[in-house]
Amino acid sequence: MKTEKGHQSQQVLSERNADYSGSTTEEEKENDVSKAILVWRAVKLPIYSVALVPLTVGSAAAYFQKGIFSARRYFVLLASSVLIITWLNLSNDVYDFDTGADKNKRESVVNLTGSRTVTLLAAYSFLALGFMGLTWTSVEAGNMRSIISLACAIICGYIYQCPPFRLSYQGLGEPLCFAAFGPFASTAFYLLQGSTSQMNYLPLSGTILSASILVGFTTSLILFCSHFHQVEEDKAVGKMSPLVRLGTERGSGVVKVAVIALYFLLFAFGLIRALPFTCILLCALTLPMGKLVVRYVEDNHKDKLKIFMAKYYCVRLHALFGAALAAGLVVARAVTK
């Protein structure tokens, strides 16, 4: 009897030691990350696809509608959008540093530079420059609807993360992200490829509205998956992201439903002829990437180190799906012509 109890005690102790050594190994691995990798994470270069995709899809929709495309406007808008996204990233690091959410986040720009003030000044300098570029393009195009739409997108970004609003702490980040990058930004970029002249006037059509919904959907998925690896940190500072409320297991189920819904919407828009057949065909080719996102999150949602990469798999889906959508619109115009 004593031998049995002794054996059980040893087993429990060894299991606890295994759990402890596993968590210690994870911490050691995280601490072993090189400075170069931390800088790469801080720059978040792949995330800038969220600037490229709405602009490219919106411009492709304008080309599909009227056969017009201004390369000069496209590149001015791209540079301005990159500056706006830089503001979002830097200011997010500053305000998460203030609340303590990024206290242990080594790749935070504030932690890397050691200066909150410099990071915040740089952030708002980028915002001012980016908004100047957007305003200049809107004035040149003579389209005030577009600058109002882009201002709404920026306001969504501000109330998402900046005081006194900080709506991301209430779990409202994903709806705001959807609105900002989907209907607001994609539609504005579509309008900015046209002008006030009757020949180049672009009406709001089912095509651009459908395309903007899909762009908003894939962008929101990136944000949702970016929370998986920091659930504990968010919970500790009262940041009630959807994953803090749901947990990672149910969160992985949400990712699966979201990816299925994305392709369901795609085919639905094709059936009602809001999007041309070429868009449906080319976007359907991204299905393997969608399945990869679902499988990766399902397999790794409990592994804090591996699940960090989930958002980058979502970035790949976002970029590929957006490229396919834009290419489908351009090809459809060429075929019709």
Side-chain angles (χ1 to χ4, degrees), residues 110-278:
V110 179
N111 290 333
L112 283 172
T113 61
S115 176
R116 176 195 182 278
T117 305
V118 170
T119 307
L120 189 63
L121 284 173
Y124 281 96
S125 299
F126 287 128
L127 173 61
L129 289 170
F131 193 71
M132 283 170 59
L134 297 177
T135 305
W136 179 82
T137 310
S138 299
V139 170
E140 186 194 46
N143 195 317
M144 287 301 103
R145 288 184 301 168
S146 57
I147 195 60
I148 292 170
S149 187
L150 288 169
C152 288
I154 292 170
I155 289 168
C156 285
Y158 187 89
I159 63 177
Y160 160 74
Q161 63 191 15
C162 302
F165 306 100
R166 287 194 174 114
L167 294 185
S168 61
Y169 281 67
Q170 310 305 318
L172 297 174
E174 282 71 16
L176 288 169
C177 180
F178 171 84
F181 291 96
F184 285 140
S186 299
T187 303
F189 293 139
Y190 160 81
L191 293 171
L192 285 173
Q193 281 294 334
S195 67
T196 51
S197 70
Q198 189 64 33
M199 186 178 293
N200 291 334
Y201 177 77
L202 289 167
L204 283 177
S205 62
T207 300
I208 183 56
L209 293 176
S210 301
S212 70
I213 288 170
L214 296 174
V215 170
F217 217 88
T218 55
T219 312
S220 300
L221 190 60
I222 297 172
L223 179 61
F224 184 84
C225 286
S226 70
H227 299 304
F228 270 103
H229 72 287
Q230 55 189 43
V231 171
E232 291 169 14
E233 290 84 349
D234 287 348
K235 193 174 183 178
V237 297
K239 187 175 183 178
M240 302 305 290
S241 70
L243 282 167
V244 169
R245 297 175 188 274
L246 294 169
T248 60
E249 179 124 22
R250 279 192 288 178
S252 67
V254 170
V255 171
K256 185 174 185 177
V257 170
V259 172
I260 292 170
L262 173 68
Y263 290 98
F264 175 81
L265 281 172
L266 171 70
F267 290 115
F269 290 147
L271 285 174
I272 63 172
R273 296 187 178 181
L275 291 174
F277 173 74
T278 47

Side-chain angles (χ1 to χ4, degrees), residues 8 15 29 58 130 159 167 170 183 186 223 271 293 300 309 314:
Q8 287 175 351
E15 284 175 3
K29 282 181 182 176
I159 63 177
L167 294 185
Q170 310 305 318
S186 299
L223 179 61
L271 285 174
V293 168
N300 299 295
M309 291 302 297
C314 291

Side-chain angles (χ1 to χ4, degrees), residues 63-64 66-68 329-337:
Y63 181 77
F64 172 74
K66 287 277 187 177
I68 54 176
L329 290 165
V330 171
V331 170
R333 175 74 189 190
V335 170
T336 305
K337 189 177 178 181

Side-chain angles (χ1 to χ4, degrees), residues 49 52-54 56-57 60 215 218 278-279 282-283 286 315-331:
S49 65
L52 182 64
V53 170
T56 304
V57 170
V215 170
T218 55
T278 47
C279 287
L282 293 177
C283 287
T286 67
V315 167
R316 291 181 195 177
L317 175 62
H318 173 66
L320 288 172
F321 194 93
L325 190 57
L329 290 165
V330 171
V331 170

